[in-house]
Amino acid sequence: MSGNDTGARGFPAFTARRGSQVRGQSWWGRAWADALEDTSLGERTLKKGRACARTGRLGPITVSPGRLSTTGHEGDTPFTTVLTLEQLDEDDWELLWEKAADRPDVIEQLLAGDLPPDLLEAAEDARVRLLPGYGDLEADCDCDAFDHPCEHTAALCYQLSWLLDDDPTLLLLLRGRGAQQVREEVRAAVLMQAIVGSLGEEEAEVELPDGTPAEEVFGRRPAPLPDLPPLPAPPARQDAADPLERLVADAAVRARELLAYAHGLDDQAGAPG
């Protein structure tokens, strides 16, 4: 495996497999295969793709935001196969994490680097599509096959379901988010929910994902302001020769004017300038 968090990730080619099982075995692997079979390709292409996926004729696979690709060969003829999937926009991701933040179990697993099945329910609540639907997958293969999409396209899709068995977060990468960025955005969504919740409930004790009380991070609610002090008598006017004494006397007069204004006793002279 190679690449960085938000860029391409490479995986070695799968060797030939025996047996009839070609769909992924994990929850997300099966979900991807179901979406592929239900919405994307014809049964004839799918059947040929399942056979091709087991032959070992496809080369290394590259997964990157919005793009899945491989190379392969038919006899002595090489080919390149590329699948594209639309990336989610910023609003989609923000709404998805907002809905996920309502599910503590989902948040816990996302922060641990897992992709819980219940995230699909959060995506449905956010009206965001994680798995491909009708017309979502665009296929391009430079083989000479008559069918379009071709069997290599279908084979690549099935092999992705095998990769999802080991790392379901590849689905999020295809939609535009690497694992580290996911954790950062999920933490931000939880913190925002903690802030909103603490403002809405006076005595609520909101905890961050690591168990730290939110108030320790964001500060306690400000205490109410104390009552205004009573208005003192006007200070005695002094004709002091010392400039500092005159400054102190003038400040005392101005302070009394401002306090009178705050008490509502003087709406002109004490108004803040």
Side-chain angles (χ1 to χ4, degrees), residues 43-114:
E43 180 55 38
R44 180 171 179 270
T45 300
L46 291 172
K47 183 177 181 179
K48 294 171 69 175
R50 287 191 286 268
C52 180
R54 292 192 295 264
T55 62
R57 296 202 310 267
L58 298 187
I61 297 174
T62 301
V63 183
S64 57
R67 192 175 188 271
L68 178 69
S69 63
T70 189
T71 57
H73 60 87
E74 286 286 354
D76 295 331
T77 305
F79 59 83
T80 298
T81 300
V82 177
L83 280 166
T84 55
L85 184 64
E86 184 177 359
Q87 298 181 57
L88 302 181
D89 61 29
E90 297 298 324
D91 291 339
D92 288 335
W93 287 113
E94 184 176 345
L95 188 54
L96 175 59
W97 303 141
E98 178 183 317
K99 297 299 183 182
D102 294 331
R103 297 169 166 81
D105 291 344
V106 170
I107 292 298
E108 181 179 357
Q109 293 182 65
L110 284 172
L111 292 177
D114 295 329

Side-chain angles (χ1 to χ4, degrees), residues 239-247:
D239 295 323
D242 188 333
L244 182 58
E245 291 181 1
R246 287 201 305 270
L247 183 61

Side-chain angles (χ1 to χ4, degrees), residues 150-246:
C150 66
E151 64 187 270
H152 309 129
T153 298
L156 178 57
C157 286
Y158 280 114
Q159 289 195 356
L160 177 63
S161 76
W162 304 349
L163 293 178
L164 292 175
D165 283 348
D166 293 328
D167 186 358
T169 65
L170 290 175
L171 178 58
L172 300 184
L173 180 60
L174 269 176
R175 287 298 195 180
R177 284 295 186 269
Q180 181 60 33
Q181 189 172 2
V182 166
R183 285 191 289 270
E184 292 172 358
E185 292 181 352
V186 167
R187 288 190 189 101
V190 173
L191 294 179
M192 181 57 67
Q193 187 186 67
I195 295 172
V196 173
S198 64
L199 291 177
E201 299 181 17
E202 186 71 27
E203 300 299 330
E205 294 184 1
V206 181
E207 290 188 352
L208 305 186
D210 63 359
T212 304
E215 65 181 16
E216 290 185 11
V217 178
F218 301 104
R220 295 182 179 275
R221 207 178 272 278
L225 295 174
D227 295 335
L228 290 171
L231 187 67
R237 189 168 189 84
Q238 297 181 4
D239 295 323
D242 188 333
L244 182 58
E245 291 181 1
R246 287 201 305 270

